[in-house]
Each structure stands twice: as structure tokens, then as C-alpha cells.
């Protein structure tokens, strides 16, 4: 006599989810069984259109704009750097004469070191100042909004307007130094190498620190408040919270802000043109200003193009090195790819 066994259907209910199996009791953590014929519990990824990811067509306008106004001029400058042209007539091929002349020019070598010096001063002064002001502006202090609005006024001014303003304020004959000889001495801040470089660094700091402060303000407001609550429960004061919570959370904005400072510092032009005009002598002749002198004052557009390419390559290499050393290229956000 043969006995036929029928599978018994049992129901297992765990964490609010009902799972029906044939002869097996399944314990789940509130997740549903895999669908679509997939095995092993591996979730199925939704197509790109279901998560709102834009298609390649969205990048076409930006790509065309970048190609027309960035890549095409850059290619033209690269071609022009191998020619001899005074702005009239047709350029004549000059081979590597412009490039050999660039690296044999003592003013060019000096301008590179001066650009690096001003960039380093800008990063060293603006970074800590911007972080402190940004974290403060992200708080709930009284009159914080009014003071922040006043502090951000330099963002509304162009570099030319800022340079003209400080040139008038620091004029040795009619400006503030002429009325405060006890502090400024003879008052000619533009007549010495050290003081002229100090003026350039100060004006750049006054103009661009509010911009970087705005970056850190937004980043500080995005830090989860529960981290500070947990730190308070553990007995951490404001200083320990700042160094162990705020600064680590600002790692990505610090890298971004520093790269912007480096690129901006290496390409500064109008500030030097209006404030010092490269003087005294060539003591404040940075690379961008030297390029202007070669091309538009010396009418040697081939040499000026070579200097421009050196500046572009220097800024690109420094930025890539900073990205690599800081690990910025490996950072990922919670909404990566959306």
C-alpha cells in the first residue's frame, strides 16, 4: 500500500511581511522575494528613465557651448604659439622659437614663481578665514543674516571695480596712507616689492573670501545635526566638535574651494593691471600680466600664446595633482548618478 505525501503550505510572518513557502519556513527582514526570474536575492536595478537619470541628449547644449567657447579658442591659441604674428597680416610659421624664448626669458621664470607665491598666500589666508566665517554664518546667531549680507557685498563687485576702489583708498598722495604716516610710513605701498605683493594678496583676500565663505556656509548647514547632539551627549565641547565633526565633514568643500583658489590665483590679471601694473619694475609681473604685455603691448602674439598655454597647463596640472592627492576623485555622494 502506497501513501502519497502532499506538501504542507506553511505561513511565516516576520516583521510585518507574510511569506508563503512549500514545506519550508522562510524568515525575512521585511523585504519581498526577488522578482523577474532572478535568483540569489539580488535586487533588479531600475532602468535609467525610472530614476530620473538624464540621457545623453541633455549634455549636447553644454558640449556644444564648451567646444565653441573653450576648446576651439584653445586650439587656435595652440596653433598660434608656433607662429610669428604681430596682429596684422597673416601669421608665419616659426617652429619652436616662441617656446624656446619663453623658457629663456628671465621675466617669465620670475613671473611663474610670483604667481605661485600669490596663489599660496591666497590659499593659506583665505582657506581658514573662509571656513571660520562660513561655519559662523551657518549658525543661529543674532543678526547673523544682516551681517552676512553686508559681508557678501564684495561678491557684487567686479574685479575691476574692486581694484579701482583699493587703488584710490591706498593712493600715497590722497588715500588713507597719506593720513596715517605713523602706520604706513611714507605711504607708498606700491613702491616696494614686499608691500606691493602684500597689497595684491590683501585685495584678493578681501574680494574672494566671501565667495568661499558662501561655499562653506552651505556645506556646514548640510552637516547632520544629530552628529553634534551625539557629541554633546559624549561631553564634547565646541572646539572638539569643530575639529572632529565640522572639519572632516567639510573635506569635499575644502578641496573644491582650494582648486578654485589655485586656478583663480594663477589667472589673476586685472588686479595687477590696475593696482601695480607689474611694478615696481617687474616685481609684481605675474604670468597672466606678462602674457598681456607680450601680446598686446609688444605685439608678439605668438609668444603671448605660448605663455597662455604654459599658464593653462600649469593650472591644469596643479588642479589634477590636488584632486589626486586629496582623494577627491574617489569621493562618492549618497545621490551619485542620479
Amino acid at each position: 500500500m502506497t501513501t502519497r505525501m502532499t506538501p504542507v503550505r506553511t505561513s511565516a510572518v516576520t516583521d510585518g511581511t507574510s511569506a508563503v513557502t512549500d514545506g519550508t519556513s522562510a524568515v525575512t527582514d521585511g523585504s519581498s522575494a526577488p522578482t523577474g526570474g532572478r535568483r540569489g536575492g539580488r535586487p533588479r536595478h531600475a532602468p535609467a528613465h525610472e530614476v530620473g537619470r538624464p540621457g545623453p541628449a541633455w549634455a549636447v547644449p553644454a558640449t556644444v557651448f564648451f567646444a565653441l567657447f573653450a576648446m576651439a579658442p584653445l586650439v587656435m591659441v595652440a596653433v598660434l604659439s608656433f607662429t610669428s604674428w604681430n596682429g596684422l597680416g597673416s601669421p608665419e610659421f616659426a617652429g619652436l622659437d616662441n617656446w624656446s624664448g619663453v623658457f629663456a626669458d628671465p621675466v617669465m621664470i620670475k613671473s611663474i614663481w610670483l604667481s605661485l607665491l600669490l596663489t599660496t598666500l591666497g590659499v593659506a589666508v583665505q582657506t581658514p578665514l573662509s571656513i571660520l566665517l562660513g561655519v559662523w554664518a551657518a549658525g543661529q546667531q543674532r543678526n547673523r543674516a544682516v551681517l552676512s549680507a553686508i559681508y557678501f557685498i564684495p561678491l557684487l563687485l567686479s574685479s575691476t571695480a574692486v581694484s579701482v576702489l583699493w587703488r584710490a583708498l591706498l593712493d600715497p598722495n590722497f588715500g588713507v596712507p597719506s593720513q596715517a604716516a605713523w602706520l604706513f610710513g611714507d605711504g607708498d605701498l606700491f613702491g616696494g616689492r614686499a608691500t606691493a605683493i602684500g597689497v595684491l594678496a590683501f585685495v584678493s583676500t578681501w574680494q574672494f573670501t566671501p565667495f568661499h565663505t558662501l561655499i562653506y556656509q552651505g556645506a556646514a548647514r548640510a552637516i547632520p545635526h544629530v552628529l553634534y547632539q551625539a557629541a554633546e551627549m559624549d561631553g564634547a565641547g565646541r572646539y572638539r566638535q569643530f575639529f572632529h565633526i565640522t572639519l572632516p565633514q567639510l573635506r569635499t568643500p575644502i578641496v573644491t574651494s582650494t582648486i578654485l583658489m589655485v586656478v583663480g590665483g594663477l589667472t589673476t590679471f586685472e588686479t595687477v593691471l590696475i593696482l601695480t601694473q607689474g611694478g615696481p619694475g617687474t616685481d609684481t609681473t605675474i604670468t597672466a600680466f606678462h602674457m598681456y604685455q607680450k601680446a598686446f603691448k609688444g605685439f608678439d602674439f605668438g609668444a603671448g600664446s605660448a605663455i597662455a598655454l604654459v599658464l593653462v597647463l600649469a593650472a591644469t596640472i596643479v588642479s589634477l595633482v590636488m584632486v589626486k592627492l586629496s582623494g577627491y576623485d574617489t569621493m562618492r555622494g549618497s545621490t551619485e548618478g542620479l
Side-chain angles (χ1 to χ4, degrees):
M1 188 176 201
T2 306
T3 305
R4 186 175 181 180
M5 303 293 295
T6 2
V8 180
R9 300 174 65 86
T10 62
S11 176
V13 181
T14 61
D15 295 340
T17 304
S18 177
V20 180
T21 60
D22 293 338
T24 307
S25 176
V27 179
T28 63
D29 294 330
S31 58
S32 58
T35 58
R38 293 179 179 266
R39 294 182 179 181
R42 183 174 295 177
R44 182 179 62 180
H45 295 285
H49 65 275
E50 294 184 8
V51 296
R53 184 176 300 171
W58 288 82
V60 172
T63 304
V64 173
F65 184 87
F66 182 76
L68 290 178
F69 296 99
M71 294 307 300
L74 186 61
V75 172
M76 294 174 62
V77 168
V79 173
L80 199 60
S81 67
F82 295 97
T83 65
S84 175
W85 187 43
N86 61 359
L88 299 175
S90 301
E92 297 180 359
F93 182 73
L96 298 176
D97 292 346
N98 293 324
W99 289 94
S100 59
V102 163
F103 294 104
D105 185 4
V107 179
M108 176 64 185
I109 304 301
K110 182 179 179 180
S111 70
I112 293 176
W113 286 111
L114 182 59
S115 297
L116 293 176
L117 174 61
L118 287 175
T119 302
T120 303
L121 288 175
V123 173
V125 175
Q126 293 181 45
T127 299
L129 189 60
S130 300
I131 292 176
L132 293 176
L133 290 172
V135 173
W136 172 83
Q140 302 295 331
Q141 298 87 351
R142 186 178 181 182
N143 298 326
R144 173 190 55 82
V146 176
L147 294 176
S148 297
I150 295 175
Y151 181 72
F152 291 143
I153 287 178
L155 288 177
L156 305 177
L157 306 176
S158 65
S159 297
T160 302
V162 170
S163 301
V164 170
L165 170 65
W166 283 103
R167 177 67 192 186
L169 289 175
L170 298 177
D171 186 271
N173 298 315
F174 309 101
V176 176
S178 63
Q179 305 298 325
W182 59 273
L183 179 61
F184 296 99
D186 60 358
D188 190 7
L189 298 179
F190 303 103
R193 181 174 185 268
T195 54
I197 293 176
V199 168
L200 292 176
F202 168 77
V203 173
S204 297
T205 300
W206 184 85
Q207 180 183 3
F208 294 111
T209 297
F211 170 75
H212 299 283
T213 298
L214 196 61
I215 295 177
Y216 292 121
Q217 179 185 7
R221 286 184 175 178
I223 300 176
H225 189 61
V226 293
L227 298 178
Y228 296 101
Q229 292 176 338
E232 288 180 1
M233 294 178 63
D234 291 338
R238 289 188 176 182
Y239 294 101
R240 294 190 62 185
Q241 291 179 25
F242 177 79
F243 286 103
H244 294 279
I245 297 178
T246 305
L247 280 184
Q249 292 292 321
L250 294 179
R251 178 188 175 188
T252 302
I254 288 175
V255 177
T256 303
S257 175
T258 303
I259 292 176
L260 293 175
M261 289 181 189
V262 169
V263 175
L266 293 177
T267 57
T268 298
F269 168 71
E270 57 269 42
T271 305
V272 175
L273 175 65
I274 296 174
L275 284 176
T276 65
Q277 297 183 355
T282 58
D283 287 340
T284 59
T285 300
I286 60 175
T287 307
F289 185 75
H290 187 50
M291 174 195 67
Y292 163 78
Q293 287 183 315
K294 279 285 187 180
F296 296 98
K297 283 194 171 184
F299 298 101
D300 190 352
F301 289 93
S305 299
I307 296 174
L309 280 182
V310 170
L311 195 59
V312 170
L313 291 175
T316 303
I317 292 173
V318 171
S319 300
L320 291 177
V321 170
M322 291 178 58
V323 168
K324 191 64 178 179
L325 294 180
S326 62
Y328 185 81
D329 55 336
T330 61
M331 298 180 188
R332 292 293 182 268
S334 57
T335 57
E336 183 75 19
L338 293 182

